[in-house]
């Protein structure tokens, strides 16, 4: 009535989070980003409220301490072990003051993580390379060239070709293009996202995340 019930709880929330996480990663919009900024801290608090609950942890500990005499099936043993580790690693054995400090750190880390992702997405979407000479397309398959031309037309640049930092545009170009300088330019733009001292710069955010984790 404790470990098994806890293991079965939250199934609907888990399914929703899986779907929403996919949207955040692959089809994000300003509306989805706003939901992410609102819900991520709430979900972190929900997790902390569960795994740092003294009464619940005491019940788990009783079972863990007496596990050798419970006659558990193999799957029950695995579930109990994973549940115990989840609580302990989340800070269930900390004193009350440390738990409150941990909750504050977790909340700030979550918000910083969302900010990091928003900046990364903005930097990714905000960069493009415009090509205007057919020889720049040497080595690329015709299908990818057509996609680059379509992207240029959508950007108001008919007659040109556009490469972006989005995966379907970036990786085929890096793998197939003969022009080494263009490949270097595009790859450098990709690996230095969030490192240009502008509105999407992530250095301060990343530094704070590292400090909080430490």
């Amino acid at each position: 009535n404790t470990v098994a019930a806890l293991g079965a709880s939250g199934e609907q929330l888990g399914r929703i989070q899986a779907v929403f996480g996919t949207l955040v990663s692959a089809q994000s919009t300003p509306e989805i980003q706003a939901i992410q900024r609102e819900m991520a801290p709430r979900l972190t608090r929900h997790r902390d409220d569960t795994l740092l609950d003294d009464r619940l942890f005491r019940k788990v500990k009783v079972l863990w301490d007496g596990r050798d005499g419970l006659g558990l099936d193999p799957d029950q043993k695995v579930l109990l072990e994973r549940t115990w580790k989840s609580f302990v690693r989340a800070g269930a054995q900390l004193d009350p003051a440390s738990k409150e400090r941990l909750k504050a750190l977790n909340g700030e880390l979550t918000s910083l993580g969302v900010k990091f992702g928003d900046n990364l997405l903005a930097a990714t979407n905000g960069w493009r390379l415009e090509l205007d000479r057919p020889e720049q397309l040497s080595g690329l398959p015709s299908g990818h060239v057509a996609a680059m031309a379509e992207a240029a037309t959508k950007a108001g640049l008919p007659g040109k070709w556009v490469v972006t930092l989005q995966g379907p545009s970036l990786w085929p170009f890096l793998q197939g293009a003969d022009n080494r300088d263009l490949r270097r330019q595009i790859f450098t733009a990709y690996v230095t996202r969030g490192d240009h001292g502008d509105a999407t710069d992530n250095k301060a955010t990343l530094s704070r995340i590292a400090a909080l984790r430490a």
Side-chain angles (χ1 to χ4, degrees):
N1 66 6
T2 299
V3 173
L6 185 63
S9 68
E11 290 183 357
Q12 183 176 1
L13 177 61
R15 288 195 296 270
I16 292 171
Q17 284 186 267
V19 173
F20 184 73
T22 301
L23 292 175
V24 170
S25 299
Q27 196 176 341
S28 190
T29 65
E31 292 78 15
I32 289 177
Q33 287 180 282
I35 295 171
Q36 172 82 337
R37 285 192 292 270
E38 176 189 356
M39 292 305 302
R42 293 176 63 180
L43 290 168
T44 296
R45 288 195 298 271
H46 171 67
R47 177 181 180 275
D48 284 345
D49 287 344
T50 301
L51 296 179
L52 298 179
D53 184 278
D54 286 332
R55 295 168 301 172
L56 189 55
F57 179 62
R58 283 198 298 269
K59 293 186 176 184
V60 173
K61 187 176 187 304
V62 167
L63 294 171
W64 177 252
D65 290 343
R67 61 191 180 280
D68 292 336
L70 296 177
L72 299 176
D73 296 332
D75 58 334
Q76 292 175 318
K77 291 180 181 179
V78 170
L79 178 59
L80 177 58
E81 180 180 5
R82 289 181 177 178
T83 302
W84 168 258
K85 287 181 178 179
S86 294
F87 274 85
V88 172
R89 291 171 177 173
Q93 293 180 306
L94 295 174
D95 60 76
S98 297
K99 286 183 179 180
E100 291 305 311
R101 180 168 181 265
L102 180 60
K103 288 180 181 180
L105 295 177
N106 286 342
E108 187 177 355
L109 276 169
T110 297
S111 296
L112 288 169
V114 172
K115 181 180 179 181
F116 184 96
D118 286 348
N119 286 344
L120 189 63
L121 180 62
T124 301
N125 292 339
W127 189 94
R128 72 185 184 196
L129 179 65
E130 302 170 11
L131 306 179
D132 54 12
R133 301 193 307 277
E135 60 266 25
Q136 294 173 311
L137 310 174
S138 175
L140 296 173
S142 58
H144 189 58
V145 172
M148 292 166 58
E150 181 181 355
T153 300
K154 290 181 178 179
L157 300 167
K160 295 185 178 183
W161 300 268
V162 163
V163 187
T164 72
L165 298 182
Q166 302 290 346
S169 178
L170 168 75
W171 298 116
F173 193 95
L174 291 178
Q175 292 167 355
D178 292 331
N179 191 311
R180 183 179 179 85
D181 289 335
L182 288 178
R183 295 202 314 270
R184 180 187 293 112
Q185 183 178 345
I186 294 168
F187 184 73
T188 299
Y190 180 74
V191 298
T192 60
R193 291 170 299 164
D195 188 24
H196 297 287
D198 55 12
T200 64
D201 194 283
N202 263 330
K203 290 191 289 293
T205 301
L206 189 59
S207 178
R208 180 61 178 164
I209 288 174
L212 291 175
R213 288 179 176 177

